[in-house]
Amino acid sequence: MAVMELRSRRMILREGQNPADVENAIRALGGSADARVVRDFFGGRREVEWLIGADLKVVQGEDGTSRCRYVQVFGNDEDDVMAAIESCEESLRPWSYDDLIRFYDIAGGSKEGPHAVLRLALGAPPSYDDDFYSRVLNSMGNSDPAIRDAGVLAAASYGLRAFVPRLSELARNDSDPEVRDTARATLEAYAEAGLT
């Protein structure tokens, strides 16, 4: 029987973080450039997967939409995953989830609002979270179409059935054609994943 792989919340790196620092942190865990796999995804997201031993991998990535950089740990052994997370947090000092919530709350309707929504979505916990859900729902109801669109993209990255009513409303009635199109595409992706 296969052991289910554990995954951490993405650790969102601070703006201006030196990429060499990230590589050094991963190498300190035992990552080798010879065992790297580079993957490019639709939307401009790029990830570099570092294999560490037989049971652990660390992914460093950059989201194409928000331009946020992140690190995430995967593995079969909870102790190994936690030790790798602690090592990365100690050396890289990523934003905490509380920081991401606070940045979202401060950004409000400002020009930083869309970025704050997308950064929050990247750093959200892997399972349902009320703080994240309520803020994304709020973003999809914002008067600024750029923030509504970012809210839809955040909902797309998280995949919660609870977002379907708001996404349906935006797909039918939003005043901005880009928001309508993004909401429709998100609903199609939800349908393909069996979430509608």
Side-chain angles (χ1 to χ4, degrees), residues 98-156:
D98 288 341
D99 289 334
L100 300 178
I101 293 284
R102 194 167 32 259
F103 293 148
Y104 172 90
D105 291 344
I106 290 169
S110 74
K111 67 178 186 167
E112 291 299 314
H115 183 74
V117 175
L118 295 171
R119 184 168 52 184
L120 177 62
L122 268 182
S127 57
Y128 177 86
D129 179 78
D130 281 332
D131 289 327
F132 174 75
Y133 171 74
S134 64
R135 283 163 175 83
V136 171
L137 205 58
N138 183 55
S139 296
M140 288 193 284
N142 194 284
S143 61
D144 182 341
I147 294 176
R148 287 197 308 277
D149 198 53
V152 171
L153 290 170

Side-chain angles (χ1 to χ4, degrees), residues 1 13 46 55 64 69 86 106 134 160 189 192:
M1 180 195 312
L13 302 177
R46 169 174 271 223
D55 297 329
R69 293 174 48 243
E86 288 172 12
I106 290 169
S134 64
L160 277 178
E192 287 176 18

Side-chain angles (χ1 to χ4, degrees), residues 9 11 84-94:
R9 176 184 62 81
M11 293 172 268
I85 291 168
E86 288 172 12
S87 178
C88 287
E89 286 180 338
E90 184 177 315
S91 59
L92 299 174
R93 302 281 182 219

Side-chain angles (χ1 to χ4, degrees), residues 1-191:
M1 180 195 312
V3 176
M4 181 179 235
E5 185 174 67
L6 304 168
R7 66 184 170 123
S8 67
R9 176 184 62 81
R10 286 187 191 111
M11 293 172 268
I12 308 303
L13 302 177
R14 296 170 187 268
E15 289 76 6
Q17 176 96 46
N18 186 339
D21 293 341
V22 178
E23 288 203 15
N24 290 337
I26 295 170
R27 287 178 197 272
L29 291 169
S32 164
D34 297 335
R36 288 187 306 187
V37 178
V38 178
R39 292 189 177 92
D40 291 307
F41 298 91
F42 178 77
R45 183 168 54 101
R46 169 174 271 223
E47 291 187 342
V48 180
E49 181 180 286
W50 299 72
L51 301 175
I52 301 171
D55 297 329
L56 193 67
K57 65 184 172 188
V58 178
V59 172
Q60 77 182 98
E62 181 175 343
D63 178 64
T65 305
S66 66
R67 296 289 174 225
C68 289
R69 293 174 48 243
Y70 58 88
V71 172
Q72 190 168 15
V73 179
F74 298 82
N76 297 325
D77 183 278
E78 186 173 2
D79 291 337
D80 289 347
V81 169
M82 291 309 298
I85 291 168
E86 288 172 12
S87 178
C88 287
E89 286 180 338
E90 184 177 315
S91 59
L92 299 174
R93 302 281 182 219
W95 296 119
S96 72
Y97 186 54
D98 288 341
D99 289 334
L100 300 178
I101 293 284
R102 194 167 32 259
F103 293 148
Y104 172 90
D105 291 344
I106 290 169
S110 74
K111 67 178 186 167
E112 291 299 314
H115 183 74
V117 175
L118 295 171
R119 184 168 52 184
L120 177 62
L122 268 182
S127 57
Y128 177 86
D129 179 78
D130 281 332
D131 289 327
F132 174 75
Y133 171 74
S134 64
R135 283 163 175 83
V136 171
L137 205 58
N138 183 55
S139 296
M140 288 193 284
N142 194 284
S143 61
D144 182 341
I147 294 176
R148 287 197 308 277
D149 198 53
V152 171
L153 290 170
S157 71
Y158 212 66
L160 277 178
R161 278 191 175 95
F163 288 135
V164 170
R166 180 64 60 90
L167 288 168
S168 298
E169 179 186 325
L170 292 173
R172 283 190 313 270
N173 302 322
D174 198 88
S175 60
D176 187 275
E178 188 171 332
V179 175
R180 283 195 311 270
D181 290 346
T182 306
R184 286 181 190 132
T186 300
L187 285 170
E188 287 172 15
Y190 269 44

